[in-house]
Structures are given as structure tokens and as C-alpha cells.
Amino acid sequence: MSFLFRAFYASAWTGGYRQTSQGVYTNAVYGFTKMMLDYVDLIRPTHLAVGWDVAARETLVRSQWYDGYKSNRNAPPEELIPQFDLVKEVTAAFSVPNIGCPGYEGDDVLGTLSTMLGQNGHQVVIATGDYDSLQLVSDQVSVKILKNGGKHEHYTPASLLALRGITPDQVVDVKALMGDASDCIPGCPGIGEKTAHKLISEHQSLDNLYSRLEACTPKLKEKLEQNRDQVYLSKKLATIICDVPIHYQEEEARWEYDSKQVHDKLEELEFGRTLLNRL
């Protein structure tokens, strides 16, 4: 979903709402398809699947834990709404499974898939725009974070430590302290990203920090004590769920497709020769 929104706004900010001759909006679908093929060219995967959000905010599991979760989200633009289903038609034309589960988010789908496949000995690459996925990094799972301009950052356990100074297990502990305004995760008031990183680096984990509050300054100790429940709730909200009840058949995700089926779908959407020539 982060790719689809990024693709939409990358062209929409200039007024570039790509449409077919029938008036169907396709700018987000076009950009998403291009990004998907870019990553296929880069990674050369044997298998490919896409994880989606499939539920309204009010029905999310995390919204049951915390009323305010993602409460700042506005309704998507009218030009984007029809593209939610249309993009799945395109990925389905490529024989790529569209995977989602009511109550859960796309990150949870990716977390469940990557954990399951990693444990089965596969090397997994997660392509996303969401830094929360860094908590999934392991010896079997790497993460490519899409950046502006089509660039990306590649994370393994070693590069995560080198670039951000934390381990995968510490990603959520940092988020628990600093919160996340974009998802309305409260964190601990008065603790920002820099302090959160410093505290977790010094104490290794949130639990260790709370067992050593006497080592903190009186002011910091007071903040942490007063907001303990909120901090641990924030950690729960930020933790990707890795046991979502999804349907996944490995053979269905094999990166193989019927060129004519894809060609017909892209022509229907009037995507032009640039994408068609990549088939």
C-alpha cells in the first residue's frame, strides 16, 4: 500500500492524473507496476507476493487496543479509490498473489510471510516504503526501503547496525519511546528520536531501561515512570504481527506469467510501449 500511495502522489502533485480514454484513473497503478518490475529486475526473485491492507481503520486489531490508532488518517483522494481494486487486477494478471487479512495490515502480511519463509530456509527480500519493517531483518530476511527518486536503502542485520546503530529487536523499543505521529502511536511525551536511540543503545532493551531507571536523570525517570503503560502500549502497536492467518501457496507465488494475459491487461489500461516493452 505504501508503494501505491507513493506512486499516486508522485504524479498527482503535478496534476498528472493519468487516465484511460474511458476516464479510468490509472496513475497509481502505472507507478506501482513500474516499481514492481523495477524490483523484479533488481532482485531477480524466484517467487513474488504482495501484501495489502484490506480493512477500514476502525476494524483493525490495533484499533481495538487503542482508539486513537491512525485516527489522523484522512479519506484517500477520489481519484485513488478505484485504483485499489484495479492494481490487484494488474498483479493478478502477472499471476502474483494478492494477500491480505481482515483486521490486519500489509506489514503484518509481510511479517508473517517473511518469518514463515525465512524459517523454511528461503532468502527473503521485503520491498516497502515503511521503516517499521526493519524489525523483520534477520540472516534470512533483508529489507529494501524505497526512497524518493526510485532509490532505496538495503538493510541486513549488519547494515542496520551500521546505518542506524540498532539491532532488529531494538527497532520496536525505539518506536515505543519516541512514538510515531503518522500512526498516532503516542510513545513517551518529551522523548524524541535522538533520546530514544540513545536510551536503547545504552540499555539494550526497553525492559532493561525500566529495570534501571535509577540510572536516569530525575526528570527523565519521572517521564518514563509516569508513562510506563503508554510506552508498553506503543510497543505493542508498533510490533508487526507475524502469525496472521493468511492463505499462501508457494507454487502460486512463482514468478511466472502469461505474457499475452499481461499484455492484454496493460493495453486495456493504455499503459503504452514503455511498460509493454519490458514484458
Side-chain angles (χ1 to χ4, degrees):
M1 196 66 78
S2 62
F3 276 23
L4 189 67
F5 272 84
R6 186 182 294 256
F8 178 81
Y9 287 109
S11 58
W13 75 276
T14 61
Y17 293 109
R18 187 186 187 103
Q19 294 175 266
T20 67
S21 55
Q22 303 300 311
V24 177
Y25 290 106
T26 61
N27 64 313
V29 179
Y30 182 91
F32 177 94
T33 305
K34 181 181 179 300
M35 285 189 280
M36 183 178 75
L37 293 178
D38 287 345
Y39 275 101
V40 165
D41 288 345
L42 178 67
I43 297 167
R44 298 291 178 180
T46 58
H47 297 73
L48 177 65
V50 183
W52 296 104
D53 301 342
V54 295
R57 184 194 71 82
E58 295 78 10
T59 63
L60 293 173
V61 169
R62 290 176 180 84
S63 294
Q64 313 311 309
W65 301 339
Y66 177 56
D67 258 353
Y69 183 67
K70 291 192 173 181
S71 58
N72 60 343
R73 299 295 175 93
N74 297 320
E78 290 183 10
E79 297 86 355
L80 176 57
I81 293 173
Q83 299 187 64
F84 291 146
D85 289 331
L86 191 57
V87 71
K88 294 177 184 177
E89 293 178 19
V90 172
T91 49
F94 278 99
S95 299
V96 172
N98 291 300
I99 304 178
C101 185
Y104 299 92
E105 299 171 65
D107 281 349
D108 299 322
V109 172
L110 298 181
T112 299
L113 279 173
S114 61
T115 300
M116 175 181 68
L117 295 171
Q119 289 172 348
N120 289 341
H122 294 289
Q123 287 294 325
V124 182
V125 180
I126 297 173
T128 180
D130 195 335
Y131 281 95
D132 286 346
S133 292
L134 296 181
Q135 65 190 267
L136 302 172
V137 169
S138 70
D139 290 339
Q140 299 295 124
V141 179
S142 61
V143 172
K144 289 189 181 296
I145 299 288
L146 180 65
K147 304 286 287 181
N148 291 335
K151 299 178 181 178
H152 67 263
E153 294 173 347
H154 182 76
Y155 286 95
T156 62
S159 64
L160 177 59
L161 188 60
L163 292 172
R164 294 185 161 258
I166 53 176
T167 66
D169 289 340
Q170 293 173 330
V171 169
V172 177
D173 286 352
V174 170
K175 179 70 77 75
L177 289 172
M178 63 180 277
D180 185 348
S182 66
D183 287 340
C184 294
I185 295 176
C188 184
I191 293 183
E193 183 175 5
K194 185 176 179 180
T195 301
H197 272 273
K198 181 175 182 289
L199 288 172
I200 297 304
S201 294
E202 288 178 356
H203 298 278
Q204 287 77 57
S205 73
L206 194 62
D207 290 342
N208 282 349
L209 170 63
Y210 270 99
S211 70
R212 304 169 182 169
L213 286 184
E214 295 302 325
C216 298
T217 64
K219 188 175 181 180
L220 181 57
K221 178 185 175 185
E222 182 181 7
K223 286 179 185 176
L224 289 168
E225 283 180 331
Q226 289 180 348
N227 294 283
R228 179 191 293 260
D229 289 347
Q230 183 168 292
V231 168
Y232 274 96
L233 171 61
S234 297
K235 178 171 181 174
K236 185 178 181 181
L237 293 171
T239 300
I240 292 175
I241 301 168
C242 293
D243 57 356
V244 174
I246 57 174
H247 169 80
Y248 174 80
Q249 293 292 327
E250 192 162 309
E251 195 56 37
E252 294 175 4
R254 186 174 295 279
W255 177 241
E256 297 174 345
Y257 59 86
D258 182 323
S259 293
K260 184 179 185 308
Q261 178 175 284
V262 175
H263 187 279
D264 290 348
K265 188 64 184 179
L266 299 191
E267 279 215 322
E268 173 193 325
L269 297 177
E270 301 172 15
F271 277 178
R273 300 309 310 175
T274 303
L275 281 184
L276 287 169
N277 287 340
R278 298 181 66 172
L279 301 183

